[in-house]
């Protein structure tokens, strides 16, 4: 049961940061999008707010016994690394070149 709760908590935290793309909403063909400094700053602020809120959620999971302190730190570290990666890429998410097929 604990393993399921940990998996669910981790999935929630990781998946909530992933943009959801509808099949009926095709992405633009261009891959060379450049954001302005102001746009990057706005996104940076939003990502930092989101990161802080997710860390707050992790703390609650530790408090409630769903995650250990170590598990929480590992997830937090992964989220920090993801933020650094986004910052290095100018806050433009990388598009996957393959289509995801979902079973219905």
């Amino acid at each position: 049961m604990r393993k399921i709760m940990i998996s669910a908590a981790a999935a929630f935290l990781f998946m909530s940061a992933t943009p959801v793309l509808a099949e009926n909403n095709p992405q633009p063909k261009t891959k060379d999008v450049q954001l302005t400094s102001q746009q990057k700053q706005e996104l940076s602020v939003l990502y930092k707010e989101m990161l802080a809120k997710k860390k707050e959620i992790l703390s609650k999971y530790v408090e409630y016994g769903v995650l250990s302190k170590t598990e929480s730190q590992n997830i937090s570290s992964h989220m920090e690394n993801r933020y650094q990666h986004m910052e290095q890429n100018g806050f433009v998410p990388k598009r996957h070149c393959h289509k995801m097929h979902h079973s219905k």
Side-chain angles (χ1 to χ4, degrees):
M1 180 68 170
R2 179 176 166 81
K3 193 169 197 163
I4 292 171
M5 292 174 74
I6 291 170
S7 296
F12 167 75
L13 290 166
F14 293 134
M15 296 304 289
S16 62
T18 305
V20 177
L21 303 175
E23 286 184 33
N24 296 338
N25 187 14
Q27 293 298 310
K29 298 294 182 197
T30 179
K31 294 182 181 180
D32 297 326
V33 176
Q34 295 294 319
L35 299 175
T36 67
S37 295
Q38 182 180 353
Q39 290 170 329
K40 290 177 188 177
Q41 181 60 33
E42 289 176 27
L43 287 169
S44 176
V45 168
L46 291 172
Y47 271 103
K48 286 178 181 178
E49 288 173 2
M50 182 175 64
L51 190 57
K53 189 56 78 174
K54 287 183 177 190
K55 287 180 179 183
E56 188 178 334
I57 292 169
L58 283 174
S59 293
K60 285 295 179 184
Y61 278 130
V62 171
E63 179 183 334
Y64 300 154
V66 176
L67 295 174
S68 71
K69 185 91 170 153
T70 302
E71 291 165 327
S72 173
Q73 289 170 341
N74 289 341
I75 294 169
S76 181
S77 176
H78 178 81
M79 292 186 310
E80 289 279 353
N81 289 337
R82 176 72 179 137
Y83 172 81
Q84 294 298 325
H85 181 74
M86 289 296 294
E87 188 175 49
Q88 290 170 358
N89 288 311
F91 294 100
V92 176
K94 298 290 183 191
R95 294 192 175 94
H96 299 288
C97 55
H98 65 278
K99 292 185 179 181
M100 295 177 61
H101 299 279
H102 298 279
S103 58
K104 295 182 180 182

